[in-house]
Amino acid sequence: MKIYNIQNGKEFFEKIAACEGTVELVNEKGERLQLTQGHAVPSALPMTYFEGAIREMELFFQNQNDCSRILHYLMNKRHLAA
């Protein structure tokens, strides 16, 4: 899922941290950085590096329900590619 123009990175990564399955950030080379580990203790990495605005990112969700929840959040905030 490609995401654009996140103004509140902290709020966004709080939503990501609440995901039940693994969520990965896909970089420009196609490599994946694990943001959550699919359990109650999320990685601290997103909160450390992405507290401000985020221009563009691509995420991979292993749990379809997590993807649906984030999609709903993003649709309300209008951060998805057209």
Side-chain angles (χ1 to χ4, degrees), residues 10-51:
K10 185 173 192 254
E11 176 185 77
F12 176 71
F13 280 107
E14 286 172 357
K15 300 289 184 192
I16 294 295
C19 289
E20 296 172 357
T22 300
V23 179
E24 298 169 324
L25 172 70
V26 181
N27 70 13
E28 303 83 31
K29 297 177 184 178
E31 301 166 332
R32 294 181 180 183
L33 172 66
Q34 194 168 338
L35 298 179
T36 67
Q37 299 169 357
H39 52 74
V41 182
S43 169
L45 181 68
M47 297 306 237
T48 303
Y49 292 103
F50 298 112
E51 285 194 25

Side-chain angles (χ1 to χ4, degrees), residues 36-70:
T36 67
Q37 299 169 357
H39 52 74
V41 182
S43 169
L45 181 68
M47 297 306 237
T48 303
Y49 292 103
F50 298 112
E51 285 194 25
I54 301 165
R55 192 172 141 250
E56 177 182 337
M57 69 179 347
E58 184 175 357
L59 297 176
F60 176 79
F61 295 87
Q62 290 186 343
N63 181 316
Q64 186 62 38
N65 291 333
D66 292 334
C67 184
S68 295
R69 277 193 293 274
I70 296 299

